[in-house]
Amino acid sequence: MSEHRRKPPQPQGGGRAAARRGQAGSSSGRRAAPRGATGSPSDSYRSGPSGSEGEERPYGGRAEARRAAQRGAGSRRRAAEPARGGRRAAPGGPGGPGRGRGRSGPPAMKRFIDYPRAGKYGAARWVPSWRLVTGTFLAFMGGLVAAAGIGYAMVGIPKQQDTALAQNNVFYWSNNKQMASTGGQTNRQLVNNEEIPKAMKDAVVSAENASFYEDNGIDPAGIGRALLNMARGGETQGGSTITQQFVKNTYLSQEQTLSRKFKELFISIKVGQKMSKDDILAGYLNTAYYGRNAYGIQAAAQAYFGVDAEKLTPSQCAFLAAVLKGPNFYNPDGGVGANATEKANTKRAKERWSWILDRMVEVERMTPADRAKVGDFPTLKKQTSNLSGQSGYLIDIAKEYVAKKAGLSPEDLEKGGYRIYTTFDKQKVNELAAAVEKTEKSFLDPKKREKDKYVQFGGASVDPKSGAIVALYGGAGYNKGHYSNNANTLGVPVGSTWKPIVLAASMKYGTYQTNGKPLSPLAKYNGNDLLEIKDQNGDPIMGDNGKPFRQKNEGTTAWGDVTLRKAMEQSINSPFAQLGIDVGLSRTQEMAKDMGISPAFFDKANIRNVSFSLGTSTPSAIRMADAYGAFANDGKHFEPFSVTKVIKDGKQLPGFEKPEEEDAMEPNVANNVTDVLENVVKNGTGKKVADIGFPVAGKTGTTDENKSAWFVGYTRELSTAVTLFRTDPAKGKLLSMNGTGGVPSIHGGDIPAQVWKDYMVEAMKSWDTPEPFPEAQPIGEIINDTPTPSAIPTPTETEEESPSPTPTPSESLTSPPPTPTETCGEFDWQCNNANGGQNGGSDGGTTTSPTPTDTETDNSGGNANGNGGIFGGSSG
């Protein structure tokens, strides 16, 4: 120890006090050496007796002193007592407190919560004691019980009649006038417990809450999972017991929040105490939504089977129990969104129906013998609707958009209370419907001609400068039994209306011959029939027969070398088949995506085949009108949208801002495509609309075997697509229209073009002076500008007829497409022939045999999966 910290020598002696200190030292196990015994110079400074408090601290520091103090606790207590004879040791002197940790004072006050822990060092200070852990847990549980008690006392059961009646959803036209009022719990007839079949109760209990008659109305584990999930921002979950679902349907809003979940918990407990299980179950079945605008078991029985609830069969009961899982995905009519098609919903409904019946046997609510008597999936009553004309299709499009943007389930949206303002122009909707009906009446006579049956029209009109859907034609109307929306149909190939996208890609990306520099529409390509298509190395693309694949045109005309402008005018297949390979199919796909056509619409069986460039893909009329809108709007693209504003409970919901502008292509690329398509109208296959009276650009399209025909055209103000197709009502597959209307074949340049013209003549009256198209400036390189090998015949004014079969094509670089029996379903229009969906091509089609593949390996975006839809995501 340093010299300046040593105490001065203490007086020798000390009498009895010194003796006591000596004894204390002895008892502690330490004996002091006599002064000078060590021979150390420092011995002269150790003036106190051995073991005195004034002695220098021995080696070992404070830790050793503390241990010595613990061993000599008794000695310290004696040292603290008054000296004999009534004398006390002076502070700091013999018998005094001394230095450091040995000095005496008032005892430290013990903390109520010993954390960090006293007397512990290092990490041990931060490890709570078992007393602290136990106390904290008990305090938490006590607080939780107290909070639950307060909540239980404060939350009462609301009046059912004040909350079970939902409002309608009100839809408005673009001028803010009311279009229709739908949804809401208006179609409901309450029935008592005795009128509900036992089979219905057993089916629902077996499927949703097997312990219903034994539980107390809540599932703590389920509530905990739901709360944790919502707190983490994960997928929301509803009440897991029948009692909780009854409470949610009857007493509470449908919002998924923590406060609503707590209310549901307490109300469920009270309801479970005050109502019988049968009454709760009957209340649930009377308030649940079953689809077809049916609320409650009685309305559902009538909507699906045309009978009263008490007459439902076990099979019908199992079906209604299946629909309760979620009508949007289990109602065989189909629902909102690309994954809720009739086909998909029917499959899900049948699977769950079968599972519920098996589950009833498993939980002993049905005997195996009764299960065997159930029979087949029940036959549903034909759906009816009070929505007439186009209103049903308009509302479906708007509902799909709202559900996506607001994050609502279709079932929650059906509860009502939403005011939905749409982009639909009532006048233009009526004008488009009138144009279809005019042509339909003059062209079709199903009573006289078999080929006139099952012919369907579809159409859509979009504002190119905003993406707003202003009009659509979906079919004859819900009130006439037509429930599929032809404006949003995803299974009809677009044919040669795809060729302008290939041309735009060549102007944007160039070809391997131009080293990525833009290609001019004046570049020349061979337009002869049965042209041998070559890959980017100049080698022939081989067919399945081992021979070079040759592209078929409509007819045998020897066009020779023609400009792409001329090839577009006459819709010749072979130049665009070769151009698609030269540009690269992945580049065309990128161009299509930039124009708003999702890979979900691409024909996956032919995504790397030559025929991909000729229109085998199946975007909807809405998507095609929107894509061409980029040509009309200087290359600027907007996502199509149908709703501008949604109000709920007096508040405007977020997320309905107008889509942002995106660059699909350079303005001069768009203007050059427009210039080429203006020529199609003036001199080519679209000549039927040439005398319309204002600037128009457009393209015709007819697919293989005459299964569909299109006309897509635009002005600066409106872009409109019209499609015509024929379907087999039993199988949902496309049928040939050869002979329809009493003519050999249908082309995009006749019936669809006529409907387009009749509509646009009226629709464009909204503008006093239609805006002219911008002048196109020269663009790109001109290749193959050599004398043509043969004379080019004069242009024809109509499209050529469909081709005859071509040579067998080469094998695909990807896995061969599955056979129709593997992929085609009852309503799958994409699988519409035995050749893997080889539809498309010029205004007459591509080959009827499988087409070859592109040899390039770059195929970005080519393997996208998922269903279509007009709004992206599950919905495209």
Side-chain angles (χ1 to χ4, degrees):
M1 181 176 292
S2 61
E3 295 294 332
H4 73 277
R5 293 190 62 186
R6 294 193 181 108
K7 295 181 62 176
Q10 303 295 324
Q12 295 186 10
R16 293 176 180 174
R20 283 197 303 273
R21 288 193 299 272
Q23 292 171 358
S26 241
S27 66
S28 66
R30 291 179 295 174
R31 186 179 299 275
R35 180 179 298 174
T38 65
S40 171
S42 63
D43 285 347
S44 60
Y45 294 100
R46 299 181 179 179
S47 56
S50 177
S52 72
E53 291 291 318
E55 185 182 14
E56 181 181 10
R57 183 177 297 134
Y59 178 78
R62 293 181 177 178
E64 180 60 29
R66 187 166 59 252
R67 288 193 292 271
Q70 292 171 353
R71 289 194 298 270
S75 298
R76 288 196 299 274
R77 285 194 299 270
R78 288 193 298 272
E81 295 175 355
R84 291 181 182 178
R87 292 182 294 117
R88 293 180 181 274
R99 293 178 294 157
R101 297 177 66 89
R103 64 178 58 145
S104 64
M109 294 185 66
K110 190 173 183 179
R111 292 181 295 173
F112 180 72
I113 299 178
D114 185 21
Y115 191 81
R117 299 176 65 183
K120 300 290 184 180
Y121 300 91
R125 282 172 54 82
W126 304 100
V127 178
S129 66
W130 67 269
R131 293 183 181 88
L132 180 60
V133 172
T134 303
T136 302
F137 175 75
L138 293 176
F140 173 76
M141 293 303 296
L144 191 62
V145 171
I150 294 172
Y152 181 80
M154 293 181 64
V155 175
I157 302 178
K159 294 181 180 180
Q160 177 175 335
Q161 61 268 27
D162 291 341
T163 56
L165 298 178
Q167 305 173 58
N168 286 339
N169 289 324
V170 182
F171 294 82
Y172 298 88
W173 296 104
S174 59
N175 62 2
N176 295 334
K177 293 185 178 180
Q178 184 170 322
M179 175 202 308
S181 178
T182 69
Q185 299 175 0
T186 55
N187 181 22
R188 175 198 287 153
Q189 303 91 42
L190 300 179
V191 293
N192 57 40
N193 181 57
E194 290 72 22
E195 295 177 277
I196 301 175
K198 182 177 183 300
M200 185 67 199
K201 299 175 184 177
D202 289 340
V204 173
V205 170
S206 300
E208 299 191 19
N209 188 188
S211 63
F212 169 68
Y213 285 100
E214 290 77 38
D215 64 35
N216 60 0
I218 64 169
D219 178 8
I223 290 288
R225 286 192 302 269
L227 292 176
L228 182 61
N229 222 28
M230 285 187 287
R232 290 176 174 176
E235 182 181 357
T236 58
Q237 298 178 0
S240 56
T241 69
I242 288 176
T243 302
Q244 289 172 246
Q245 295 181 63
F246 165 62
V247 167
K248 183 180 71 171
N249 291 343
T250 309
Y251 303 115
L252 299 173
S253 67
Q254 302 304 307
E255 60 183 349
Q256 294 282 1
T257 62
L258 290 176
S259 61
R260 205 275 294 160
K261 206 69 184 170
F262 276 115
K263 290 179 181 179
E264 177 187 303
L265 174 65
F266 295 130
I267 296 174
S268 296
I269 296 173
K270 287 193 173 183
V271 166
Q273 293 175 344
K274 296 184 178 182
M275 294 178 64
S276 68
K277 289 291 186 177
D278 284 340
D279 288 341
I280 292 174
L281 181 55
Y284 170 56
L285 296 176
N286 271 321
T287 57
Y289 179 59
Y290 296 78
R292 289 196 174 184
N293 197 36
Y295 293 85
I297 183 64
Q298 173 65 16
Q302 287 289 344
Y304 286 102
F305 304 111
V307 300
D308 289 334
E310 59 186 351
K311 295 182 179 180
L312 289 169
T313 67
S315 177
Q316 292 169 340
C317 290
F319 167 79
L320 293 179
V323 171
L324 283 177
K325 174 75 172 176
N328 192 64
F329 292 105
Y330 289 88
N331 177 2
D333 301 329
V336 175
N339 292 324
T341 62
E342 292 181 6
K343 175 185 173 183
N345 281 17
T346 299
K347 182 176 183 292
R348 279 190 286 261
K350 288 182 176 180
E351 290 175 349
R352 186 161 178 82
W353 169 83
S354 180
W355 175 83
I356 288 175
L357 292 170
D358 293 339
R359 175 68 172 167
M360 293 171 70
V361 175
E362 179 184 344
V363 298
E364 299 180 350
R365 292 189 176 276
M366 175 181 282
T367 65
D370 289 338
R371 170 68 178 91
K373 296 177 184 178
V374 169
D376 297 330
F377 188 76
T379 301
L380 306 185
K381 174 185 172 183
K382 187 177 180 180
Q383 185 181 3
T384 60
S385 173
N386 58 359
L387 295 174
S388 61
Q390 300 306 302
S391 59
Y393 311 118
L394 299 172
I395 288 170
D396 275 354
I397 293 294
K399 282 164 54 177
E400 179 180 344
Y401 191 81
V402 171
K404 177 186 176 183
K405 290 294 184 179
L408 296 169
S409 71
E411 288 80 14
D412 286 345
L413 188 58
E414 282 298 316
K415 298 297 181 182
Y418 296 89
R419 293 162 57 192
I420 299 169
Y421 295 80
T422 75
T423 59
F424 305 130
D425 185 310
K426 181 179 180 179
Q427 182 176 343
K428 289 181 174 55
V429 170
N430 292 336
E431 289 166 350
L432 181 55
V436 170
E437 291 166 4
K438 175 184 176 182
T439 299
E440 191 172 32
K441 289 178 181 179
S442 63
F443 173 65
L444 300 176
D445 191 348
K447 295 181 180 180
K448 290 184 178 181
R449 291 184 292 265
E450 184 68 22
K451 287 295 185 75
D452 287 6
K453 294 181 179 179
Y454 317 128
V455 176
Q456 300 186 42
F457 291 83
S461 193
V462 174
D463 178 1
K465 297 179 181 179
S466 68
I469 305 171
V470 299
L472 58 80
Y473 182 85
Y478 284 3
N479 59 316
K480 294 185 178 180
H482 185 87
Y483 292 98
S484 60
N485 186 350
N486 295 343
N488 200 25
T489 291
L490 305 181
V492 182
V494 297
S496 291
T497 59
W498 193 261
K499 290 175 182 175
I501 300 175
V502 181
L503 180 62
S506 74
M507 293 183 186
K508 181 175 181 178
Y509 299 110
T511 71
Y512 76 95
Q513 293 174 289
T514 65
N515 295 318
K517 294 181 181 179
L519 186 69
S520 170
L522 298 180
K524 291 186 176 180
Y525 272 76
N526 193 326
N528 288 336
D529 185 37
L530 297 178
L531 177 71
E532 185 179 283
I533 306 300
K534 298 181 180 180
D535 63 23
Q536 292 187 1
N537 295 320
D539 299 324
I541 295 176
M542 306 305 291
D544 289 338
N545 58 2
K547 297 180 180 180
F549 170 75
R550 295 179 180 275
Q551 178 61 54
K552 185 74 179 73
N553 289 335
E554 289 192 63
T556 59
T557 301
W559 291 96
D561 286 348
V562 295
T563 65
L564 293 175
R565 178 185 174 88
K566 171 61 73 172
M568 187 75 75
E569 172 191 301
Q570 297 302 316
S571 202
I572 309 171
N573 281 347
S574 50
F576 287 96
Q578 186 62 63
L579 178 64
I581 298 298
D582 293 353
V583 173
L585 299 184
S586 64
R587 294 298 194 184
T588 299
Q589 292 158 18
E590 286 297 322
M591 186 77 258
K593 286 190 286 186
D594 289 343
M595 296 171 68
I597 299 177
S598 166
F601 303 114
F602 296 164
D603 177 16
K604 295 175 182 59
N606 291 295
I607 199 167
R608 300 186 66 190
N609 291 350
V610 172
S611 62
F612 180 82
S613 300
L614 304 179
T616 61
S617 295
T618 60
S620 66
I622 294 174
R623 281 292 177 180
M624 287 302 291
D626 177 69
Y628 272 49
F631 296 144
N633 192 37
D634 301 319
K636 307 294 184 183
H637 171 254
F638 293 90
E639 276 293 299
F641 70 104
S642 59
V643 175
T644 59
K645 181 171 61 176
V646 178
I647 295 177
K648 179 73 163 71
D649 298 329
K651 297 179 181 179
Q652 187 169 329
L653 301 187
F656 291 92
E657 298 79 13
K658 292 183 179 180
E660 295 183 0
E661 180 182 270
E662 299 175 352
D663 290 327
M665 65 197 82
E666 293 292 329
N668 199 38
V669 171
N671 296 339
N672 269 273
V673 173
T674 296
D675 181 69
V676 170
L677 297 186
E678 280 188 286
N679 184 59
V680 170
V681 170
K682 293 175 182 176
N683 303 305
T685 58
K687 202 169 182 180
K688 182 179 284 290
V689 304
D691 61 347
I692 199 167
F694 43 82
V696 166
K699 182 68 185 78
T700 58
T702 308
T703 59
D704 185 43
E705 298 182 23
N706 225 203
K707 290 180 177 177
S708 65
W710 289 74
F711 188 85
V712 185
Y714 55 91
T715 64
R716 291 282 277 179
E717 294 80 12
L718 283 178
S719 178
T720 302
V722 175
T723 182
L724 181 71
F725 55 94
R726 184 167 174 257
T727 59
D728 181 342
K731 298 181 179 180
K733 295 183 179 180
L734 292 176
L735 300 172
S736 173
M737 291 188 292
N738 288 333
T740 295
V743 298
S745 61
I746 304 297
H747 297 90
D750 42 50
I751 303 304
Q754 186 64 54
V755 172
W756 187 94
K757 178 181 178 180
D758 290 343
Y759 163 68
M760 290 291 284
V761 164
E762 299 299 323
M764 288 298 294
K765 290 180 180 179
S766 299
W767 292 270
D768 295 332
T769 306
E771 183 180 351
F773 291 119
E775 184 176 350
Q777 301 300 317
I779 189 173
E781 296 189 11
I782 300 175
I783 62 173
N784 303 326
D785 189 18
T786 58
T788 57
S790 61
I792 300 176
T794 58
T796 59
E797 295 186 0
T798 60
E799 302 164 274
E800 300 179 20
E801 296 182 1
S802 59
S804 56
T806 60
T808 305
S810 65
E811 182 179 3
S812 172
L813 295 182
T814 58
S815 301
T819 61
T821 56
E822 296 175 315
T823 60
C824 293
E826 183 178 0
F827 303 103
D828 193 349
W829 289 344
Q830 285 188 333
C831 301
N832 52 65
N833 60 53
N835 297 312
Q838 306 295 319
N839 298 309
S842 79
D843 305 302
T846 62
T847 65
T848 55
S849 57
T851 51
T853 61
D854 179 14
T855 58
E856 64 169 348
T857 57
D858 179 15
N859 190 35
S860 59
N863 295 318
N865 295 318
N867 295 315
I870 69 166
F871 300 117
S874 55
S875 303

